[in-house]
Amino acid sequence: MPSLSLRIQLDPEGRIGPGKIALLENIATHGSISAAGRAMEMSYRRAWELVEELNVLFGKPVVERQVGGRNGGGAQLTPLGEALILRFRAVEQAATEAAATHLAALQAEIDRSERG
């Protein structure tokens, strides 16, 4: 079945899509940027670059880092980071529902062409 992949262009230089949202979700789950990156087979450097892109785009942090300490530091989402996930997933769901009939029609065309 065809599916949608959503990217939201926020300004000429900034956008959010499934990769950045998955990274934020993994940071929330794992409690660190490095663990989130590893879970996605991404380097810490790349994960941090993506987080920093979001921080700059929104003008305030989407992730807060805790440096060092007894547990070796970590990271957690800010309220903005949590809201970003919720809003993106809501837009994604609405777009998927709106496109469902058209996606099914595309799949029907594929099915017809395979039967020949």
Side-chain angles (χ1 to χ4, degrees):
M1 180 71 166
S3 63
L4 293 179
S5 178
L6 180 69
R7 293 203 191 296
I8 300 173
Q9 193 75 30
L10 296 169
D11 70 23
E13 299 298 317
R15 62 186 168 273
I16 56 174
K20 287 178 183 167
I21 296 301
L23 177 61
L24 292 179
E25 290 169 333
N26 274 289
I27 290 168
T29 298
H30 297 286
S32 88
I33 296 169
S34 60
R38 280 192 303 275
M40 297 177 70
E41 299 182 357
M42 177 188 304
S43 71
Y44 172 80
R45 177 183 166 94
R46 181 64 181 143
W48 177 247
E49 287 172 349
L50 292 173
V51 167
E52 191 57 25
E53 282 179 27
L54 291 170
N55 290 342
V56 169
L57 181 62
F58 286 95
K60 54 187 170 182
V62 297
V63 173
E64 291 178 338
R65 293 188 317 168
Q66 290 91 39
V67 180
R70 185 176 287 175
N71 296 322
Q76 66 181 24
L77 299 183
T78 64
L80 173 60
E82 292 171 355
L84 185 55
I85 292 170
L86 291 174
R87 291 184 188 283
F88 181 87
R89 293 298 184 203
V91 171
E92 185 178 57
Q93 181 65 34
T96 298
E97 289 171 6
T101 302
H102 300 291
L103 295 175
L106 288 171
Q107 185 62 49
E109 291 296 331
I110 291 168
D111 294 345
R112 274 195 288 278
S113 69
E114 289 176 350
R115 284 185 251 139

